[in-house]
Amino acid sequence: MPEPAEVTTVACVGAGVIGGGWAAHFLARGYHVRAWDPAPGAGDRLRRLVDAAWPALTELGLAEGASPDNLTVLPALADAVADAGFVQESAPENLAVKRALLADIDAVAPPGVVVASSTSGFPMSDMQVDAARPGRLVVGHPFNPPYLIPLVEVVGGDKTEQWAVDWASTFYRHVGKSVITMDRELPGFIANRLQEALWREALHMVAAGEATVEQIDTAITEGPGLRWPVHGPCLTFHLAGGEGGMAHMLDHFGPSLKAPWTRLDAPELTRELRDGMVSGCESEADGRSIAELVAERDRAIIAVQRAVHASRGGQR
Amino acid sequence: MPEPAEVTTVACVGAGVIGGGWAAHFLARGYHVRAWDPAPGAGDRLRRLVDAAWPALTELGLAEGASPDNLTVLPALADAVADAGFVQESAPENLAVKRALLADIDAVAPPGVVVASSTSGFPMSDMQVDAARPGRLVVGHPFNPPYLIPLVEVVGGDKTEQWAVDWASTFYRHVGKSVITMDRELPGFIANRLQEALWREALHMVAAGEATVEQIDTAITEGPGLRWPVHGPCLTFHLAGGEGGMAHMLDHFGPSLKAPWTRLDAPELTRELRDGMVSGCESEADGRSIAELVAERDRAIIAVQRAVHASRGGQR
């Protein structure tokens, strides 16, 4: 297998919003990208997507030699993956399609090359069943747009070999991503489980006539959404507890977990869970006091609001 | 009752993290703030909180005459509310406490003055039962820190009169808040239902050993959390559908709503719900094409990442 740092060519199989976003990311990082997508007009859509992303990527800073001209759209899957040092699969979210396609990719990709799937939530164990060499198949789940959002969740299936998980994690970090390497399969992984809980509650509220689409979006963009690029949900509530931190927050708001604030029942707030949340926040704070975290948050929220405001050309 | 624009003095009853944050906000907007909190040491903690917030508020720009010196901490509730043109109650989240306190405030606040509760989720109908003049009692639910996060959710209870809901909405807008005025009571209102669904799923994941506190926070700050100050969850997924928008997204990912991506079951994706989500997004996009929204999002995400990065003094 190639060393992660020595890869020069990446194959993007499936070139919709996610596959095209991956292509834009790899191109901006200086890779040659070979793309394949059987859908009619996919090549043209892919080039439009890369062109649309390029100003943002240029603004962020391109790697040496990076160019949209390093994109080649191939008419045959085998040609797209033949010279690749890494394959990113981003086909439609359909288990039968993913199974067949991963087996096809595996049959033609060079030996030892890792193949990652962008699936939003299928466990790799369910997708790798038809592949001859399933040991090199991993999930590499990005967020839209993959050329800007750093997070990639990496996890293998029952038949995935550990070296492939490690290789993919190293490679993604090498190309500038923030990687969460999971030690177990979980439908929806981590970020989509969190995001999807919020999304499902939103759909329930619209279905029940309890809130409009616009109220839901405003509730997030003008509310908790302003905190989440700064501190995740746990550290955010660590600060909601004032000088007492997460411990005070859970002791004070613990009873609210019994309230019907969502359709999702909360877990029992056992002593073990409480203590785990508290020690997790302390570990994450890494010595920063509540006062320091508050100052960090305040600076960041102001900067985020100004950034969003300016990016809209001064409009709210 | 006073005109919303003519209020010069606000009473903050309860001066913990939320009540203190409200005090800081009103002080920065040039109001005289009269605070009352029966907890030992509450006055000192309140002054520390205002002092900690003041650099951020100064950076944002203070109203004429704004000063922390306009804060007066009173030993008696009646003295705190006697001269107030508006009362913000931010007591601990305990229904019996809120009921008794709102009745006490109502008994001593000047006639016609609106009294708003910062409750995180209690319906006003449950809180106003002991008050002699419940018509002026409303929920005005802020987000921490109230001096930076714009959102306030305003809703009345069974006995609240419509003028009070309208007055509070106008007043909050006058002091620079983004207001969602709800037309019905809903435990947890809108933003907390969304945020709390995510939080409950996070607690389940920690309790089950599926993710650590740090993985959960990273999953949000490096992932979907970077999008949410820019576009709420609905517009975000409008863009996940590519050129087909929300309609394509729901038609493609609709089946995923059956997948166990969270502990929260999704609603049935009826034709009516699908069409409602699509038309809601089109209304919110207000003529902006998907390409324009993508460009806006990309500019904003880059700016947000830079802002967060800079606010941490260049550390990631």
Side-chain angles (χ1 to χ4, degrees):
Chain A
M1 84 201 76
E3 287 296 314
E6 288 170 5
V7 171
T8 58
T9 301
V10 171
C12 288
V13 176
V17 171
I18 295 298
W22 271 121
H25 181 74
F26 290 122
L27 288 167
R29 301 268 56 78
Y31 290 84
H32 288 261
V33 172
R34 296 171 70 82
W36 177 79
D37 189 317
D44 288 344
R45 275 200 302 279
L46 171 57
R47 290 186 190 282
R48 279 206 300 277
L49 193 153
V50 170
D51 288 345
W54 210 253
L57 292 165
T58 304
E59 166 73 14
L60 275 179
L62 302 169
E64 197 179 323
S67 165
D69 298 339
N70 292 333
L71 171 64
T72 312
V73 180
L74 284 303
L77 173 62
D79 293 333
V81 304
D83 297 323
F86 176 69
V87 181
Q88 184 78 40
E89 171 273 310
S90 310
E93 198 68 8
N94 175 304
L95 186 56
V97 168
K98 296 272 195 195
R99 266 187 196 163
L101 183 58
L102 287 169
D104 288 348
I105 294 170
D106 178 51
V108 291
V113 162
V114 171
V115 179
S117 173
S118 297
T119 180
S120 300
F122 292 132
M124 180 48 82
S125 295
D126 293 344
M127 295 192 292
Q128 68 193 163
V129 289
D130 295 332
R133 290 167 291 187
R136 56 153 148 188
L137 302 182
V138 302
V139 166
H141 175 233
F143 287 77
N144 191 43
Y147 55 87
L148 290 181
I149 303 290
L151 186 65
V152 180
E153 294 171 307
V154 177
V155 60
D158 292 338
K159 297 181 179 170
T160 303
E161 292 161 19
Q162 185 60 41
W163 70 264
V165 171
D166 296 340
W167 193 98
S169 298
T170 302
F171 179 70
Y172 283 130
R173 286 196 183 95
H174 182 72
V175 300
K177 309 303 285 184
S178 293
V179 178
I180 293 181
T181 307
M182 297 174 64
D183 63 4
R184 71 183 74 185
E185 293 193 285
L186 197 62
F189 317 121
I190 296 175
N192 263 353
R193 286 189 89 98
L194 301 171
Q195 170 176 249
E196 188 80 5
L198 187 157
W199 174 238
R200 288 173 184 208
E201 185 66 23
L203 289 175
H204 275 295
M205 294 183 81
V206 173
E210 294 165 345
T212 66
V213 166
E214 185 150 20
Q215 283 178 324
I216 285 166
D217 277 356
T218 298
I220 296 300
T221 59
E222 298 286 301
L226 288 166
R227 304 185 294 214
W228 281 327
V230 185
H231 293 148
C234 305
L235 265 196
T236 291
F237 285 161
H238 187 46
L239 304 193
E243 294 169 7
M246 176 61 75
H248 178 73
M249 187 274 176
L250 288 174
D251 297 343
H252 179 190
F253 281 102
S256 297
L257 291 173
K258 304 288 186 196
W261 282 9
T262 89
R263 272 96 177 162
L264 174 58
D265 287 334
E268 197 63 40
L269 187 60
T270 61
R271 186 79 204 176
E272 186 184 357
L273 176 55
R274 176 202 177 276
D275 292 349
M277 296 303 299
V278 171
S279 65
C281 283
E282 281 168 3
S283 162
E284 209 182 332
D286 196 22
R288 288 171 293 178
S289 69
I290 297 282
E292 287 167 330
L293 289 167
V294 164
E296 170 185 295
R297 177 199 64 192
D298 286 3
R299 284 195 304 271
I301 288 175
I302 290 174
V304 164
Q305 287 179 296
R306 287 186 175 159
V308 172
H309 192 244
S311 73
R312 290 181 181 156
Q315 300 164 344
R316 283 298 296 256
Chain B
M1 83 201 80
E3 286 298 313
E6 287 169 9
V7 172
T8 57
T9 301
V10 171
C12 289
V13 176
V17 171
I18 296 298
W22 272 122
H25 180 73
F26 289 122
L27 288 167
R29 301 268 57 75
Y31 290 84
H32 288 261
V33 173
R34 296 171 71 80
W36 176 80
D37 188 317
D44 289 343
R45 275 201 303 281
L46 171 57
R47 290 187 191 282
R48 279 206 300 278
L49 193 153
V50 170
D51 287 346
W54 209 255
L57 292 165
T58 304
E59 166 74 16
L60 275 178
L62 301 170
E64 197 179 324
S67 165
D69 297 340
N70 292 333
L71 171 64
T72 312
V73 180
L74 284 302
L77 172 63
D79 293 333
V81 304
D83 297 323
F86 176 69
V87 181
Q88 184 79 38
E89 171 273 311
S90 310
E93 198 69 8
N94 176 304
L95 186 56
V97 169
K98 296 270 196 195
R99 267 188 195 161
L101 184 57
L102 287 169
D104 288 348
I105 294 171
D106 176 52
V108 291
V113 162
V114 170
V115 179
S117 172
S118 298
T119 179
S120 301
F122 291 131
M124 180 47 82
S125 295
D126 294 344
M127 294 191 292
Q128 68 193 163
V129 289
D130 294 331
R133 288 166 291 186
R136 56 153 148 188
L137 301 183
V138 303
V139 166
H141 174 234
F143 287 78
N144 191 42
Y147 55 88
L148 290 181
I149 303 290
L151 187 64
V152 180
E153 295 171 307
V154 177
V155 61
D158 292 338
K159 295 182 182 169
T160 304
E161 291 161 21
Q162 185 62 38
W163 70 263
V165 171
D166 296 340
W167 193 98
S169 298
T170 301
F171 178 70
Y172 283 131
R173 287 197 182 93
H174 182 71
V175 299
K177 310 302 286 184
S178 293
V179 178
I180 293 181
T181 307
M182 297 173 65
D183 61 6
R184 71 183 77 186
E185 292 193 286
L186 196 62
F189 317 121
I190 295 176
N192 263 353
R193 287 189 89 98
L194 301 170
Q195 170 176 250
E196 187 79 4
L198 188 158
W199 174 238
R200 288 173 182 207
E201 184 67 23
L203 288 176
H204 274 296
M205 294 183 81
V206 172
E210 294 165 347
T212 65
V213 166
E214 184 149 19
Q215 284 178 324
I216 285 166
D217 277 355
T218 299
I220 296 299
T221 58
E222 299 285 301
L226 289 166
R227 304 185 296 214
W228 281 326
V230 185
H231 293 147
C234 304
L235 264 196
T236 290
F237 284 161
H238 187 47
L239 304 192
E243 294 170 8
M246 176 61 76
H248 179 73
M249 186 276 175
L250 287 174
D251 297 342
H252 180 189
F253 280 101
S256 297
L257 291 173
K258 304 287 185 197
W261 281 9
T262 87
R263 271 97 177 160
L264 174 58
D265 287 336
E268 197 63 40
L269 188 59
T270 61
R271 186 79 203 177
E272 184 184 359
L273 176 55
R274 175 201 178 275
D275 292 349
M277 296 304 298
V278 171
S279 64
C281 282
E282 283 167 2
S283 160
E284 208 182 334
D286 195 23
R288 289 171 294 178
S289 69
I290 297 282
E292 287 167 330
L293 289 166
V294 164
E296 169 184 293
R297 176 200 64 194
D298 287 3
R299 283 194 305 271
I301 288 175
I302 290 174
V304 164
Q305 286 179 297
R306 287 185 174 160
V308 172
H309 191 246
S311 73
R312 289 179 183 158
Q315 299 164 346
R316 279 301 291 253

